[in-house]
């Protein structure tokens, strides 16, 4: 929903009702995951996508209907073997979409939620999908406050506790409860859509390759910081406007910087006086990906130095070096694509092999 927020905020501020469709569940080779969103606003303006084009026409009509009726709808779309022209997913997967009307009068929490998402502040939007509770009812949950209701105080309390737990993980998931929040019942289905702050990408070494990696990191939705000890190279003019540039010794900057299980660290300095103390720090803290640039000879020498510095085999096993997938890349931009491909593959468990050489679902459902 982040991508379509500008339009949604504009409609909401103008008090124009709109239909918001959100993917709440997927199976098999679904083209987009839970949280993918599409909205239909005034004058039939459409933003976003729930399937990459397969069922958008049907969802458009559903959105019009829910705005007219004021009642949310839940629909499932899959592949139809009997009718090749039926509305469905040609990829063979299945998606379940919740379509609900949004107005400033009926959904007063939407404005604050949108503002928090735009500002990069953590918030989870919990929405009733099915069961003996008002379908489409929503509860906004921040780390220290809530707004809205799902119908009962018990359900609100249980969902609030779970939403904060999922928000800490940045997870988007379906949960099941009893009508009053009972944990061992599954009458009410609630979709928890977490909007955690964007994950961080830390790029060390302000070289041409760093500029390309920073651009693609920003494109992928990371909050990118480039750090270099040399002020003459660590200048904002050399990097995209959205990228933070820091002049500091890499290991010292990392020591004072928070990282978590979503953080990506790219070490492009390939200079032992920077690499070794930086990787000592990086390999002993939370991170989703730690990669270092250099030749295989550089890698072997770097590994020896890190071993001498006291890093264990388990810590060294976290290092992706030389970083990137084997694409035959030459230019900084091509190398950046190689690095991004490895990061994405590691995140979702991809093999990195050509799809023509693989079997099974192209878009497997990701494990939490």
């Amino acid at each position: 929903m982040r991508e379509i927020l500008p339009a949604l905020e504009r409609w909401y501020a103008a008090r124009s009702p709109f239909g918001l469709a959100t993917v709440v569940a997927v199976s098999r080779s679904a083209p987009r995951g839970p949280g993918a969103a599409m909205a239909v606003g005034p004058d039939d303006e459409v933003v976003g996508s729930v399937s990459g084009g397969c069922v958008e026409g049907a969802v458009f009509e559903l959105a019009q209907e829910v705005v007219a009726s004021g009642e949310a709808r839940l629909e499932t779309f899959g592949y139809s073997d009997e009718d090749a022209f039926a509305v469905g997913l040609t990829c063979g997967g299945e998606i379940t979409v919740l379509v609900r009307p949004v107005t400033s009068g009926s959904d007063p929490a939407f404005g604050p939620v949108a503002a928090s998402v735009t500002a990069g502040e953590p918030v989870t939007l919990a929405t009733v999908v099915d069961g003996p509770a008002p379908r489409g009812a929503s509860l906004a949950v921040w780390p220290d406050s809530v707004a809205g209701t799902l119908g009962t105080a018990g359900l609100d309390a249980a969902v609030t506790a779970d939403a904060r737990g999922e928000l800490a993980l940045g997870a988007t998931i379906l949960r099941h409860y009893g009508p009053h929040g009972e944990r061992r019942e599954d009458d009410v289905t609630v979709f928890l859509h977490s909007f955690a702050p964007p994950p961080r990408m830390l790029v060390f070494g302000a070289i041409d390759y760093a500029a390309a990696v920073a651009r693609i990191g920003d494109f992928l939705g990371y909050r990118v910081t480039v750090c270099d000890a040399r002020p003459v190279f660590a200048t904002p003019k050399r990097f995209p406007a959205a990228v933070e540039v820091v002049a500091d010794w890499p290991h010292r900057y990392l020591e004072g910087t928070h990282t978590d299980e979503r953080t990506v660290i790219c070490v492009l300095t390939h200079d032992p006086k920077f690499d070794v103390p930086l990787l000592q720090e990086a390999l002993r803290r939370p991170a989703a990906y730690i990669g270092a640039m250099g030749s295989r000879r550089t890698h072997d020498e770097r590994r020896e130095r890190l071993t001498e510095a006291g890093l264990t085999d388990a810590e060294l096993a976290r290092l992706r070096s030389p970083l990137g997938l084997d694409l035959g890349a030459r230019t900084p931009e091509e190398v950046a694509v190689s690095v991004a491909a490895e990061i994405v593959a590691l995140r979702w468990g991809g093999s990195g092999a050509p799809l023509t050489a693989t079997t099974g679902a192209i878009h497997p459902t990701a494990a939490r």
Side-chain angles (χ1 to χ4, degrees):
M1 194 167 70
R2 294 179 192 275
E3 293 80 7
I4 65 175
L5 266 181
L8 304 190
E9 289 183 296
R10 173 164 47 87
W11 299 338
Y12 191 81
R15 297 184 176 275
S16 298
F18 58 90
L20 177 60
T22 306
V23 176
V24 296
V26 303
S27 66
R28 300 191 300 278
S29 185
R32 303 202 68 191
M38 168 182 159
V40 178
D43 299 322
D44 292 338
E45 182 181 352
V46 180
V47 292
S49 171
V50 293
S51 73
C54 298
V55 301
E56 266 64 12
V59 174
F60 172 81
E61 293 180 359
L62 278 172
Q64 290 180 313
E65 291 172 10
V66 302
V67 170
S69 68
E71 296 181 359
R73 296 269 299 275
L74 186 69
E75 296 287 345
T76 297
F77 300 94
Y79 183 73
S80 172
D81 290 319
E82 293 76 21
D83 183 357
F85 294 98
V87 174
L89 301 182
T90 57
C91 60
E94 186 175 275
I95 63 172
T96 301
V97 181
L98 175 69
V99 189
R100 67 186 184 97
V102 178
T103 67
S104 56
S106 64
D107 200 343
F110 185 87
V113 169
S116 290
V117 175
T118 300
E121 299 166 353
V123 61
T124 294
L125 184 63
T127 308
V128 174
V129 171
D130 204 6
R135 177 176 289 161
S138 62
L139 176 72
V141 181
W142 290 268
D144 56 359
S145 63
V146 297
T149 181
L150 302 181
T152 68
L155 183 58
D156 289 348
V159 170
T160 296
D162 288 344
R164 286 178 175 149
E166 301 299 343
L167 184 57
L169 299 173
T172 290
I173 191 172
L174 285 174
R175 287 276 193 173
H176 303 278
Y177 307 88
H180 298 281
E182 297 88 345
R183 296 287 182 179
R184 295 183 179 275
E185 299 182 23
D186 58 4
D187 298 322
V188 180
T189 302
V190 178
F191 182 60
L192 303 180
H193 193 174
S194 296
F195 296 94
R200 297 200 65 184
M201 173 182 280
L202 306 177
V203 182
F204 295 96
I207 60 177
D208 288 346
Y209 291 95
V213 170
R215 284 196 295 272
I216 204 165
D218 178 55
F219 175 75
L220 290 175
Y222 288 92
R223 181 164 69 91
V224 183
T225 298
V226 175
C227 175
D228 196 298
R230 303 162 296 178
V232 68
F233 294 107
T235 61
K237 290 182 180 179
R238 302 182 64 235
F239 297 92
V243 172
E244 177 188 29
V245 181
V246 175
D248 198 354
W249 276 80
H251 74 279
R252 185 168 61 193
Y253 174 75
L254 185 57
E255 287 172 353
T257 300
H258 173 75
T259 64
D260 60 26
E261 288 74 12
R262 302 184 301 152
T263 303
V264 166
I265 299 174
C266 298
V267 179
L268 310 183
T269 47
H270 53 82
D271 183 330
K273 68 176 178 290
F274 297 127
D275 289 2
V276 173
L278 172 60
L279 287 171
Q280 277 184 268
E281 176 66 24
L283 292 168
R284 288 171 170 164
R285 59 164 52 223
Y289 174 92
I290 303 170
M293 176 177 278
S295 66
R296 300 194 188 280
R297 176 179 176 181
T298 299
H299 167 72
D300 291 340
E301 293 175 349
R302 181 191 291 132
R303 188 180 177 91
E304 287 182 15
R305 290 188 174 95
L306 290 170
T307 300
E308 292 171 359
L311 269 74
T312 66
D313 288 343
E315 289 168 338
L316 289 170
R318 301 179 63 204
L319 178 61
R320 317 287 289 195
S321 174
L323 83 176
L325 297 185
D326 180 15
L327 305 183
R330 293 291 185 272
T331 67
E333 290 74 19
E334 290 174 343
V335 170
V337 170
S338 165
V339 174
E342 184 176 40
I343 291 170
V344 172
L346 187 63
R347 178 183 181 186
W348 298 112
S351 67
L355 289 174
T356 54
T358 65
T359 58
I362 294 176
H363 307 285
T365 301
R368 261 191 68 194

